[in-house]
């Protein structure tokens, strides 16, 4: 039985039909994927609209649907939470979660007129008690923890980007910097609520106006705190401590007093090794040492000179000098431990 080769028109028709079928399949597959992404964005926006802060609460099922939807046009920034650990004050979970929600709300306010920016990033939180399998897939075994899930991520543990635990110190500001550096989106201004409400401010103004005549009367009689030397003395010591302890730095940078150890969350870190960050406890410790030296110097120059006994003067001065040398050595040691810079004496070569 002879087998005759197919004619050229037949082969051309077969090839054309195959290519057309493949193109049609790819077209409808792409359209289906695009529709799935659009439907997922709409669902997330719907959940977001029901939250006062704009944070989407994730579940295992919702996260699985997000990961399996490809391609995705948006990123997720996820705060990992555990309600049973809220009572551990050293973790600061409640305050960090509040800052995360504040950043989410601020992002929504700043991009209220830019729907495209809002659809590029969704703030989410996930709770350990409800989604233990998701925690395991991300490889999260310590809190606090924040991760960014990019649009092209397929594996939760390896493709997501975790925020360094040391960056939590500046709260919402450091979170905003992390997101901006990874997504190229602008977070904008963080809208913190005022310390006092309008009602409280009005009450304080009314109380001040009512008490103004009584204050004026005491001022004329010289019976106010401003006329008390002890108040001025205490105020000067406070200002000195405030200056040398770096308190203004802590207020501006919103530095915490301490942080949890990233290797062992049950331990607290009061002194951070490295020149990039200073904790509040560090500043208070250094300020306390400086204040000791300052008070001893003030005591020797204003009080000790009035003592009649030479032996008492010399004894107290020697003790004060020993304590001052000890305090300065501690400051130098801490500076060397933290920054790596050594302090040494300098003598000119001509000496």
């Amino acid at each position: 039985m002879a087998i005759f080769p197919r004619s050229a028109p037949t082969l051309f028709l077969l090839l054309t039909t195959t290519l057309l079928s493949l193109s049609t399949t790819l077209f409808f597959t792409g359209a289906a994927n695009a529709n799935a992404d659009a439907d997922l964005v709409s669902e997330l926006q719907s959940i977001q609209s029901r939250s006062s802060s704009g944070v989407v609460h994730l579940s295992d099922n919702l996260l699985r649907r997000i990961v399996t939807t490809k391609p995705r046009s948006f990123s997720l920034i996820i705060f990992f939470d555990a309600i049973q650990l809220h009572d551990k004050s050293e973790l600061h979970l409640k305050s960090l979660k509040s800052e995360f929600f504040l950043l989410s709300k601020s992002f929504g306010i700043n991009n209220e007129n830019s729907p495209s920016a809002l659809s590029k990033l969704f703030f989410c939180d996930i709770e350990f008690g409800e989604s233990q399998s998701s925690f395991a897939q991300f490889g999260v075994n310590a809190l606090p923890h924040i991760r960014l899930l990019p649009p092209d991520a397929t594996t939760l543990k390896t493709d997501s980007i975790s925020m360094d635990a040391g960056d939590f110190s500046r709260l919402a500001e450091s979170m905003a910097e992390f997101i901006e550096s990874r997504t190229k989106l602008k977070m904008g201004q963080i809208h913190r609520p005022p310390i006092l409400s309008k009602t409280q401010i009005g009450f304080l103004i009314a109380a001040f106006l009512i008490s103004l005549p009584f204050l004026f009367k005491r001022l004329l009689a010289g019976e106010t705190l401003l006329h008390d030397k002890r108040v001025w003395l205490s105020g000067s010591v406070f200002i000195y401590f405030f200056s040398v302890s770096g308190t203004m730095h802590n207020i501006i940078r919103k530095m915490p007093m301490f942080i949890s150890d990233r290797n062992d969350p049950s331990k607290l870190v009061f002194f951070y090794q490295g020149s990039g960050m200073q904790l509040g406890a560090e500043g208070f410790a250094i300020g306390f040492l400086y204040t000791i030296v300052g008070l001893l110097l003030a005591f020797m120059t204003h009080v000790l000179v009035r003592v009649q006994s030479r032996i008492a003067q010399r004894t107290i001065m020697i003790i004060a000098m020993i304590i001052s040398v000890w305090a300065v050595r501690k400051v130098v040691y801490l500076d060397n431990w933290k920054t790596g810079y050594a302090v040494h004496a300098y003598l000119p070569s001509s000496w």
Side-chain angles (χ1 to χ4, degrees):
M1 179 178 178
I3 299 176
F4 297 98
R6 295 182 180 179
S7 61
T10 304
L11 290 174
F12 178 76
L13 180 61
L14 181 62
L15 181 61
T16 304
T17 304
T18 303
L19 291 175
L20 182 61
S21 176
L22 181 60
S23 300
T24 304
T25 302
L26 292 175
F27 173 78
F28 282 107
T29 302
N33 290 338
N35 289 335
D37 177 71
D39 292 341
L40 191 56
V41 170
S42 299
E43 181 179 352
L44 291 175
Q45 288 177 336
S46 176
I47 300 174
Q48 189 181 56
S49 64
R50 295 194 294 269
S51 172
S52 59
S53 60
V55 175
V56 177
H57 185 68
L58 293 177
S59 62
D60 287 339
N61 293 331
L62 179 56
L63 183 60
R64 190 178 304 111
R65 287 176 51 206
I66 293 173
V67 175
T68 55
T69 300
K70 303 173 184 177
R72 292 191 305 274
S73 60
F74 55 88
S75 301
L76 299 181
I77 182 72
I78 306 173
F79 182 88
F80 293 84
D81 190 22
I83 296 178
Q84 65 268 29
L85 298 179
H86 280 192
D87 57 343
K88 293 192 174 183
S89 58
E90 66 272 13
L91 296 179
H92 303 285
L93 274 180
K94 294 179 69 174
S95 60
L96 288 172
K97 185 176 182 180
S98 176
E99 290 290 308
F100 184 82
F101 278 45
L102 175 64
L103 180 61
S104 172
K105 188 173 183 179
S106 299
F107 179 70
I109 295 174
N110 295 333
N111 295 277
E112 190 174 4
N113 299 323
S114 179
S116 60
L118 293 176
S119 63
K120 295 295 183 183
L121 178 68
F122 290 94
F123 287 79
C124 308
D125 73 322
I126 189 168
E127 209 278 320
F128 177 76
E130 303 172 355
S131 309
Q132 295 186 25
S133 62
S134 296
F135 272 67
Q137 293 178 46
F138 276 107
V140 176
N141 51 24
L143 296 179
H145 197 93
I146 292 177
R147 276 185 179 265
L148 177 70
L149 187 68
D152 56 350
T154 56
T155 305
L156 296 181
K157 185 175 182 179
T158 58
D159 295 340
S160 60
I161 306 169
S162 63
M163 182 176 172
D164 191 352
D167 294 336
F168 289 128
S169 58
R170 293 179 50 231
L171 306 177
E173 285 74 13
S174 57
M175 297 178 193
E177 290 179 1
F178 169 73
I179 296 172
E180 288 179 346
S181 65
R182 300 294 181 175
T183 64
K184 308 305 179 184
L185 293 173
K186 294 295 183 182
M187 293 294 102
Q189 178 186 358
I190 298 177
H191 301 272
R192 295 187 178 277
I195 299 177
L196 298 176
S197 65
K198 293 182 178 179
T199 303
Q200 292 172 328
I201 294 175
F203 175 79
L204 291 176
I205 292 176
F208 174 75
L209 293 176
I210 293 173
S211 61
L212 194 59
F214 302 97
L215 293 176
F216 188 70
K217 180 180 178 181
R218 294 180 66 88
L219 182 62
L220 293 178
E223 298 175 352
T224 65
L225 293 176
L226 297 178
H227 295 84
D228 191 343
K229 295 181 179 180
R230 292 170 295 182
V231 173
W232 288 99
L233 177 61
S234 303
S236 61
V237 174
F238 172 77
I239 292 175
Y240 179 80
F241 178 82
F242 187 90
S243 302
V244 298
S245 64
T247 308
M248 184 59 69
H249 168 272
N250 297 337
I251 294 174
I252 295 175
R253 297 284 184 142
K254 297 181 174 63
M255 303 300 292
M257 289 295 295
F258 51 83
I259 59 176
S260 58
D261 191 341
R262 68 183 65 181
N263 298 321
D264 186 359
S266 63
K267 295 182 178 179
L268 301 180
V269 176
F270 293 92
F271 292 84
Y272 184 85
Q273 190 171 14
S275 57
M277 184 177 71
Q278 173 184 299
L279 298 175
E282 294 180 51
F284 285 157
I286 299 299
F288 176 72
L289 294 174
Y290 274 125
T291 304
I292 288 177
V293 177
L295 289 176
L296 287 176
L297 180 61
F299 176 80
M300 287 187 292
T301 56
H302 290 78
V303 178
L304 190 58
V305 294
R306 302 176 185 273
V307 177
Q308 300 296 327
S309 173
R310 293 292 182 89
I311 297 177
Q313 282 185 340
R314 291 169 182 174
T315 303
I316 295 174
M317 182 168 291
I318 291 173
I319 295 174
M321 291 178 65
I322 292 174
I323 295 175
S324 299
V325 170
W326 170 84
V328 172
R329 285 177 61 86
K330 286 295 182 182
V331 172
V332 172
Y333 169 77
L334 289 173
D335 180 73
N336 175 257
W337 174 83
K338 184 174 180 63
T339 65
Y341 295 110
V343 178
H344 56 85
Y346 171 76
L347 296 177
S349 59
S350 60
W351 282 20

